[in-house]
Every structure is written in structure tokens, then in C-alpha cells.
Amino acid sequence: MRYLHISKSGIWQFRYQIPPHHRHLFGDRHEIKRSLKTSDKAKATIIALELEIQVRKTILTPAASVSIEKQPISPISKVKSTSPKEISPHNALERFCKYKAEHISHKAVTMLEAKCKTVLELIGKSQLRTIRRSDAEEVVYLLRNYPTNLKKYKQFNGLSGHDSIKLNNELGLPTLSDESVKDYCQKMSGFFEWCQLNELTDINPFKAIRFKKTRRDSEAKNAYTLIELEKIFGAIARTKQAHKHPYYFWLPLLAYFTGARLNELCQLYKADVHQVDGIWAIQIDDRYEGQKLKNLTSRRIVPIHDQLLNLGFIEFVQSVQHERVFPELKESRDGFGTAASKWFGRFKTKLGFDKGHDFHSFRHTVATQFKRQQISHIVAGELLGHAQNSITYDRYGKGLDTLQLKEIINMIDATPVSKTLNSQHQ
């Protein structure tokens, strides 16, 4: 019999390998192993057969194992389907979000929790371990029919996710795009990956769900063309004297000549603008109060482009009577960039730009220029704060020389700015 094995001491043992998809019924054990306490093979065979029946009944009808265990067979009575610690999906999510709060921003945790709650409500199961692959595939279909910006419409107030989908079938309001559905599933996959690692469940039902790619990654956000840049900086030059706040003038310039993220620029302190090896540079860091980084690779030094020096950026920073470069920008839940983001949104809309262009498009513009000039992705990543996804560079590679970085930064085309701003500045 294949489940019978004899030990060195001559005692027969029962060993049964549990298939991966049934291990949650046996306390996540890979194998049931029991001593049959006999050296008689015939007797051991009978006991092993009875044990096998118990195991198979547990797999087919888990509840049946309780009645079988009450049977007066001493070796069998020891074989129990150890009930795993049951936890509800929402309790698991609460624990997951507390863990994530130590590693990502409050805003990111809030968005993560909201999306996972939406999915868990649509699945509607009370025990985490009972959520399987079929549930994940079903919820993808439901999400594709889920209305966008649901909270903005009074018609959906108080309705469950399923009822909202049914109502929207009649209303015909926009539903989640495939990109959004993919984001929901990726967040759920991260949640279940953590649950699996912490032994709260046995599988990640959202792992490797496939989505058809409808566009290239580089097309997710539009980069600005040279003509569009001239349009932006021309408008800034014409209204320079009427700017309500200095950041109206400096933030677009800094974004274009550094490729930095909006919040990285809005949270700058004067001490972050200093000389490194005799070269003026901006330090992107989280060493001062209120500063946050998107990730570890965001911490970096970015030399200041000659065009910014010519426009008097250093003199401006030194003239600010505050420890922060843009003290008019106040800290909010999302950092210091909220007001600036709203302002730029209004500004670019007035210039005729649609949803494909925003402040982050400056970052894409810089990356595009680096790519077109065949700048190494290693160097570009150093300046933009991107991980290299390589052990060689991420773990062992050292930062590039400041002078080298300065030469690359100065390769960002200054023409769109020099055409419009230099004459105004002089």
C-alpha cells in the first residue's frame, strides 16, 4: 500500500501527501504522518485504509470528519482536520493596512483600503480562506460593470456594490476602465500575498490575472512637445509680474529641468538647495519635517540646470524669509503639493490641454528627452529616482559623480524656456 512506510525500528507508519489546493482543510500541512504502533503489516494495512478513508472524506465533505473521529479506532481518532484560525477578510485587511501604513503614505493606504473593501464587498464571503480563484475571476467581470466615481451620484447612496451595478445597467453611467480594474486586482493580489505570507490563507486567488494591454506604458501620460513647452513657459513669462505666488513661476521650470515629482519640489527646504562638489544641486530627501519620499530610490541629488541658474533660482531661494522654499504651500494629507496641483490643473486647462497632460507630464518629458538622446537608463534612473531593477545596480552600484550628472541635466533642451523667459528676465 502506497501510504504505508516502515520505520528503522520496524513500526509501520501512515504517510499521506496533501495536495496544495486541499491543505487549508488540514491546517496548511503538506503531509499527514502517523505511527500505526504495530509491526504487523496486515493490521497496519487495515488501519491505514481507514485513515485514508477519513482523509478523503474530509476532502470531499469536511463536516463528515467530525462523525468519523468519534469512531472507536484509537489510531484513527488522532487524525483530525486541524481547523485553521479563521479570520474575516475585513479583519485581515485592517491588519494589512496597519502594516502598509509603516511603508507608504497615508493617502496611498486610504486608496488601497477603499479599493480592497469594494472588491471584498462584491465577493461577499465571511471567511478569508473561502475566497478562491473563481471568486477573483467573477469579481473582474463585476468590476468592469462597476460605476466610476460612485460617491458623486446620489442615486447610489446606501446601495451595495451589486445593487449599484444593477442600477447602473439602467442609468448607463461610465464604468471602470480595464486599467482601473487591473489596479483593483493588483492591490488585491498584494493583499493576498501578504495574507499568504502571514499564514492567514493558503492561496493568492488574484495572482497573475491576465489583462489585455491596450497601450504602451510610455503612452499612459503624454510628454510635452517643444511647441507645447513654449506655450506653457510663454504664458508664465507674460504673467510673471502678476503671479500670486512664486511657485506659479518656479514649479513648472523646476519640473522641466529636474524631472522631479510635484510633491518632491513643493516640500523643498532652503537647506535642500546647496553645493555638492562645487556644483549647485537639489537634494530630494525626507530629512526635514513633513517631507516624504515615494520610495527608497527617490532619495537623490539632482544638479541644477544652467538655465535655472541664469534665471536666478539660487538668488530666489536665498531671498526667501523662511526655512522652506515655498512656505505658502501648506501641508495636507497628501503632502505639500495639493494647492499647486489644483493651480496647475486650472492653468493648463486654460491653455487648452486635456486630461492627457498634467504636471507629471514634465517628468515624462524629461524621460523622453533622455531616451531620445540615448542617455543610459542607469543615469536617467539616478536623476529621476527610479529603481534599476537590478541587484548589480540597486544593491552594489554607487551613485554617479555629480559632475557627470550635471552634464546630463544640461542636455535637457533649454530652447523652449530661453525663447520666452530669458528676454523677460533681462
Side-chain angles (χ1 to χ4, degrees):
M1 185 181 176
R2 59 177 175 165
Y3 303 120
L4 273 180
H5 300 268
I6 193 164
S7 68
K8 292 180 179 179
S9 59
I11 301 298
W12 288 98
Q13 293 183 331
F14 173 79
R15 297 179 67 175
Y16 189 103
Q17 299 291 322
I18 306 296
H21 51 289
H22 292 313
R23 287 172 187 165
H24 65 286
L25 298 172
F26 300 89
D28 287 336
R29 286 180 293 177
H30 290 223
E31 181 185 55
I32 290 179
K33 183 178 179 181
R34 290 288 181 271
S35 171
L36 301 181
K37 298 182 178 180
T38 180
S39 57
D40 185 330
K41 186 174 181 180
K43 185 177 179 181
T45 300
I46 293 172
I47 297 173
L49 284 169
E50 292 171 334
L51 287 170
E52 182 188 353
I53 290 170
Q54 278 197 37
V55 172
R56 291 188 179 278
K57 279 191 174 182
T58 299
I59 290 172
L60 292 173
T61 53
S65 62
V66 176
S67 60
I68 292 173
E69 286 165 7
K70 293 179 180 178
Q71 295 177 13
I73 304 174
S74 55
I76 298 177
S77 63
K78 294 181 181 180
V79 181
K80 295 182 180 180
S81 172
T82 305
S83 178
K85 292 181 180 178
E86 296 293 354
I87 184 171
S88 75
H90 290 284
N91 285 343
L93 179 61
E94 185 179 351
R95 287 175 56 180
F96 175 61
C97 289
K98 284 181 180 178
Y99 161 76
K100 292 297 286 185
E102 299 174 4
H103 304 280
I104 60 177
S105 69
H106 176 74
K107 178 185 177 183
V109 172
T110 302
M111 291 175 65
L112 169 67
E113 184 175 23
K115 290 187 175 183
C116 288
K117 279 184 175 179
T118 295
V119 175
L120 291 175
E121 186 201 355
L122 288 171
I123 292 173
K125 290 195 171 180
S126 60
Q127 299 297 334
L128 185 72
R129 285 176 178 266
T130 61
I131 298 176
R132 315 309 285 175
R133 181 67 172 198
S134 59
D135 298 307
E137 291 173 349
E138 171 66 17
V139 91
V140 169
Y141 170 77
L142 292 172
L143 286 170
R144 287 192 172 117
N145 292 277
Y146 197 81
T148 57
N149 301 317
L150 184 142
K151 291 183 179 179
K152 291 185 178 180
Y153 300 100
K154 293 181 180 179
Q155 301 97 310
F156 299 109
N157 286 351
L159 294 183
S160 67
H162 286 277
D163 288 339
S164 296
I165 291 171
K166 288 179 183 177
L167 176 59
N168 198 49
N169 287 336
E170 300 173 11
L171 298 176
L173 295 171
T175 56
L176 295 177
S177 66
D178 263 12
E179 292 276 338
S180 295
V181 174
K182 182 179 180 181
D183 183 52
Y184 275 78
C185 291
Q186 286 175 337
K187 284 178 168 55
M188 286 298 294
S189 182
F191 164 54
F192 271 95
E193 188 74 23
W194 179 86
C195 289
Q196 199 175 3
L197 287 171
N198 286 272
E199 300 179 354
L200 301 179
T201 190
D202 59 316
I203 65 165
N204 177 357
F206 285 86
K207 186 175 182 179
I209 288 183
R210 300 290 181 184
F211 290 88
K212 185 178 179 181
K213 203 163 188 177
T214 57
R215 65 184 181 188
R216 289 163 37 174
D217 291 338
S218 59
E219 295 171 349
K221 289 284 185 182
N222 294 324
Y224 291 116
T225 65
L226 293 180
I227 293 174
E228 289 169 339
L229 289 169
E230 287 180 19
K231 187 176 184 179
I232 291 170
F233 293 121
I236 289 173
R238 287 192 300 275
T239 59
K240 182 181 179 184
Q241 303 306 320
H243 286 166
K244 182 179 179 181
H245 299 295
Y247 72 78
Y248 287 13
F249 179 78
W250 288 111
L251 280 181
L253 288 165
L254 286 167
Y256 177 59
F257 286 118
T258 65
R261 301 175 179 92
L262 175 61
N263 202 60
E264 291 174 341
L265 297 172
C266 292
Q267 68 183 12
L268 286 176
Y269 278 67
K270 289 175 68 175
D272 292 323
V273 181
H274 57 86
Q275 289 190 324
V276 179
D277 300 327
I279 296 171
W280 281 106
I282 293 172
Q283 184 166 343
I284 308 293
D285 215 323
D286 60 353
R287 53 190 179 148
Y288 298 120
E289 184 179 356
Q291 290 185 323
K292 300 172 185 175
L293 294 176
K294 183 176 181 181
N295 48 51
L296 292 176
T297 56
S298 297
R299 185 176 285 108
R300 62 197 187 279
I301 295 289
V302 183
I304 298 175
H305 194 288
D306 284 345
Q307 184 66 60
L308 285 172
L309 298 177
N310 294 338
L311 289 170
F313 178 64
I314 303 303
E315 289 77 8
F316 160 71
V317 172
Q318 293 173 343
S319 71
V320 176
Q321 301 299 306
H322 195 277
E323 60 183 352
R324 284 183 46 236
V325 176
F326 303 112
E328 62 272 24
L329 294 172
K330 306 303 179 184
E331 186 177 12
S332 66
R333 185 193 69 176
D334 301 333
F336 289 97
T338 302
S341 177
K342 290 179 180 178
W343 161 74
F344 189 80
R346 296 190 299 269
F347 173 74
K348 63 99 176 178
T349 300
K350 287 180 181 178
L351 292 179
F353 292 100
D354 58 21
K355 291 183 179 180
H357 292 89
D358 56 18
F359 195 90
H360 205 71
S361 295
F362 286 116
R363 186 168 168 83
H364 287 273
T365 304
V366 174
T368 299
Q369 288 201 23
F370 285 159
K371 188 174 182 179
R372 287 175 179 170
Q373 296 185 69
Q374 298 183 328
I375 303 300
S376 161
H377 72 279
I378 304 300
V379 179
E382 186 89 5
L383 288 167
L384 295 171
H386 286 155
Q388 307 300 340
N389 296 320
S390 161
I391 291 177
T392 303
Y393 286 106
D394 287 339
R395 184 176 297 177
Y396 303 113
K398 304 301 179 183
L400 296 171
D401 180 81
T402 311
L403 182 60
Q404 291 176 295
L405 295 177
K406 171 76 171 184
E407 290 173 357
I408 303 301
I409 277 290
N410 275 340
M411 293 175 74
I412 297 173
D413 188 1
T415 306
V417 175
S418 60
K419 275 186 178 181
T420 56
L421 283 166
N422 277 0
S423 58
Q424 296 284 334
H425 182 69
Q426 291 170 353

